[in-house]
């Protein structure tokens, strides 16, 4: 059980990231999940719900509700998938793309204030360590 300190560090790091990131996203008028969906769809062609779920790591049940709320707000649209009529293609509307173009760079600037405290070498080390950890699962 020598992995418990690593696990604790991983969880506390994620919590610290959420504590830093979430208030900024909320100030932009979005939930973290809404931001994740908008950031994933921004500057991208429409994608299926399955693809969106895989790219955002949002559970299917949560994703369905978030998509409905964003559609109601006119931020995204769903169209029948021309390659498979059983699925839908999800993409940002013009209003959604403009929202993406506003909130995404603002949030990146916010995150940059923290990440700029690490050198390029340190960032690479963190990335490599996280990749190593991910690959054991």
């Amino acid at each position: 059980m020598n992995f418990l300190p690593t696990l604790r560090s991983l969880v506390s790091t994620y919590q610290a990231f959420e504590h830093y990131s979430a208030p900024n996203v909320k100030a932009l008028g979005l939930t973290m999940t809404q931001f994740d969906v908008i950031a994933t769809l921004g500057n991208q062609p429409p994608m299926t719900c399955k693809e969106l779920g895989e790219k955002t790591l949002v559970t299917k049940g949560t994703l369905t509700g978030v998509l409905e709320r964003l559609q109601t707000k006119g931020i995204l649209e769903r169209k029948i998938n021309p390659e498979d009529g059983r699925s839908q293609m999800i993409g940002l509307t013009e209003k959604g793309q403009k929202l993406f173009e506003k909130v995404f760079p603002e949030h990146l600037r916010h995150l940059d204030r923290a990440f700029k405290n690490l050198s390029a070498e340190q960032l690479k080390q963190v990335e490599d360590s996280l990749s190593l950890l991910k690959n054991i699962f």
Side-chain angles (χ1 to χ4, degrees), residues 12-77:
S12 66
T13 300
Y14 178 74
Q15 289 171 337
F17 173 78
E18 284 284 308
H19 182 76
Y20 182 80
S21 181
N24 180 254
V25 169
K26 186 176 181 182
L28 296 171
L30 299 167
T31 67
M32 289 294 287
T33 306
Q34 288 172 336
F35 179 84
D36 192 9
V37 168
I38 292 167
T40 302
L41 291 171
N43 290 334
Q44 298 296 315
M47 60 186 74
T48 66
C49 193
K50 181 181 179 191
E51 292 169 327
L52 184 59
E54 290 169 353
K55 291 183 180 195
T56 61
L57 302 177
V58 177
T59 63
K60 185 177 179 182
T62 300
L63 187 58
T64 300
V66 170
L67 295 178
E68 287 173 3
R69 286 186 286 284
L70 291 175
Q71 186 174 11
T72 299
K73 293 179 179 182
I75 294 171
L76 65 80
E77 60 188 355

Side-chain angles (χ1 to χ4, degrees), residues 73-124:
K73 293 179 179 182
I75 294 171
L76 65 80
E77 60 188 355
R78 301 185 217 199
K79 295 180 179 175
I80 298 294
N81 184 347
E83 296 176 15
D84 180 358
R86 298 170 294 172
S87 67
Q88 297 177 336
M89 300 301 289
I90 300 163
L92 294 179
T93 61
E94 187 176 323
K95 177 181 176 181
Q97 182 62 30
K98 286 180 182 176
L99 178 63
F100 165 78
E101 291 169 5
K102 175 184 182 285
V103 299
F104 190 70
E106 284 185 37
H107 192 57
L108 286 183
R109 283 190 293 275
H110 177 72
L111 294 177
D112 184 56
R113 288 193 282 279
F115 280 103
K116 73 179 178 184
N117 293 308
L118 299 175
S119 69
E121 182 180 322
Q122 289 171 317
L123 282 170
K124 180 70 173 131

